[in-house]
Amino acid sequence: MSYGFIENKFYIDVEPLARSAKAPREEFAERASYILRTHKEVILSFSGGTDSQATYLAFKDAGVSVPCAFMHMPGYNDNEWENVQKCRDKWNLDLQVVTINPYKIKNKILAESERLQIPPNQILHSFFLKHIPSHYTFI
């Protein structure tokens, strides 16, 4: 696939597959296997939603139960936290929970956001990543 702008118009060119596409679950497992071959250790950002569940199951289909990480912000994402707990119990997830109170670090987030000209949610995410061991490739 290639994409870009020509004369201020956005375009996407999609080439046909060089092979036949498999069922989505097989394609996901194949991609997970590739990631596991190219990265020594991975940790999955796990929100409990459909995307993170499908990604986790793709790794399981590839033969590996990858560790997961969740950023819990009590009072802000408790619904996600409930879903994560259900998934943790269902699949016995190796789960690292990082608890952050965004209100408590609000001034740091906003100052860093202003300094770097990056949206505050990205800065909050960087605080989360500081709690993940650096030897992991974060997915």
Side-chain angles (χ1 to χ4, degrees):
M1 172 180 12
S2 62
Y3 56 89
F5 287 92
I6 296 178
E7 297 176 11
N8 288 332
K9 291 185 179 178
F10 183 73
Y11 74 90
I12 299 176
D13 284 334
V14 180
E15 298 289 327
L17 282 175
R19 60 174 176 76
S20 296
K22 300 174 188 166
R25 191 159 181 170
E26 290 177 90
E27 291 287 341
F28 294 165
E30 197 169 288
R31 179 66 181 159
S33 293
Y34 171 78
I35 291 169
L36 292 168
R37 286 192 309 273
T38 56
H39 298 280
K40 187 176 181 179
E41 289 188 74
V42 299
I43 189 166
L44 175 64
S45 178
F46 195 87
S47 69
T50 303
D51 291 350
S52 57
Q53 288 183 53
T55 304
Y56 178 77
L57 292 174
F59 282 103
K60 281 194 68 108
D61 287 348
V64 177
S65 292
V66 296
C68 300
F70 176 72
M71 178 172 57
H72 184 210
M73 298 178 292
Y76 296 91
N77 66 347
D78 293 331
N79 186 37
E80 282 183 334
W81 175 229
E82 288 176 23
N83 291 339
V84 167
Q85 289 174 315
K86 289 176 186 173
C87 294
R88 179 196 60 203
D89 296 343
K90 181 176 182 177
W91 295 310
N92 194 29
L93 295 179
D94 175 3
L95 180 67
Q96 179 176 346
V97 179
V98 176
T99 302
I100 295 177
N101 181 339
Y103 189 76
K104 199 173 188 179
I105 57 174
K106 174 183 163 186
N107 292 335
K108 288 180 185 178
I109 292 170
L110 293 176
E112 192 71 358
S113 173
E114 179 66 27
R115 184 179 78 76
L116 296 173
Q117 294 297 294
I118 295 173
N121 61 326
Q122 300 296 338
I123 302 301
L124 179 59
H125 193 252
S126 72
F127 278 81
F128 169 55
L129 289 175
K130 288 178 184 176
H131 291 87
I132 305 300
S134 61
H135 67 276
Y136 283 117
T137 297
F138 186 77
I139 298 175

